[in-house]
Amino acid sequence: MRQTILAVLSLSTIAALLTGCGGDMVLLNSKGPVAQGQSDLMMTAIYLMLLVVIPSILMALWFGWKYRSSNKDADYKPTWAHSTAIEIVVWGVPVIIIGILAWLTWWGSHKYDPYRPIDSDKAPLTVQVIAEQFKWIFIYPEQEIATVNEIRFPEKTPVNLRLTSNFTMNSFFIPALSGQIYTMAGMQTHLHLLADETSPAEGYRGFSSNYSGYGFSQMRFRAHSVTEAQFADWVAAVKAGNGTSINPEAIQKGILDQAEFATLRDGNRSHHQIEVLIAKATTPEEKAAAEAMKPYPTKPHPVTYYSSVEKGLFESVINKYMSNYHGADHSATAGAHGAAANAHAAVEPASSAVGE
């Protein structure tokens, strides 16, 4: 019995640590109306389900105690088979709870639809988001600036995010402010969020919640909610090429155009994969192609500011994968991708031995 109690307490402690008790329980400490609404919806569903779970546990313990072999006063009914009252309770209560949960799910799905704009007296701020390998790129089309691994916006102002991916499917997530939304190549998804207050100096955590390769763990960024005056000062500083005056740890650059955008693609394989490819290369061409590969990053890309951005860059990323549907001419891009595909094909036989 003692060992059983210790095992239960140990498992409970581990579960508490894994769920964040005593730490950053960000999902229960939301800083915006969307995240707060989703948190309330989640807790309401949990409380409703506990109406069945807790009584079931208590009755299981009580029945075991009452009808134990040493209790000679318990009723003994070997021919008992049915009770209408019990059937009504056992089936009726769960059906009612499931009905309420179904309504809450329907209501919440519409209320907190990622595509639904947030009602506000203030004009929304539009930010275009590109999931790159392995980093997040934020473009401010109205301010004509761009950033890498950092997003800033005024407090109490709706932020309309337009998201896509320049490689595999990913998932954009700022737990303190909103739910997650997928980013996919050739497609545009939407997400709306709003911060009720300014963020701490380190900002809110943002990351990818969808595994996308060896560099997945490095896809982290910071979301800063600031005052309107601070946001205006930050935009002016970045446009003037002096963004490091706001964030000394950032890197300030000039224009984010197609050439600069191409340099933001990180790596071809992990260190281990490249070593194996080199070791298993059977021709000088295969070995040279493997040696030319860059390894995936082992830490997040530093925060980078761009004082200007090429117009239509976000749309060009979408069109690159959807040219047949959009009717655009991407022959130059296709040629570049063809060359990359040929280089990849040169090391494919060795790569297959590694196991992607």
Side-chain angles (χ1 to χ4, degrees), residues 29-38 40 112 118-120 122 153-159 174 176-178 193-200 204 223-228:
N29 188 26
S30 306
K31 301 300 182 181
V34 177
Q36 184 62 53
Q38 293 175 339
D40 293 343
Y112 304 111
I118 298 175
D119 296 330
S120 175
K122 294 185 177 180
F153 44 81
E155 62 173 336
K156 299 180 174 63
T157 298
V159 181
I174 307 177
L177 298 177
S178 68
L193 57 85
L194 183 147
D196 290 328
E197 58 190 45
T198 57
S199 62
Y204 299 124
H224 296 272
S225 173
V226 297
T227 64
E228 292 187 4

Side-chain angles (χ1 to χ4, degrees), residues 100-117:
I100 296 174
L101 289 173
W103 181 84
L104 285 174
T105 302
W106 177 87
W107 175 82
S109 297
H110 289 80
K111 175 68 174 178
Y112 304 111
D113 181 358
Y115 282 67
R116 179 176 179 174

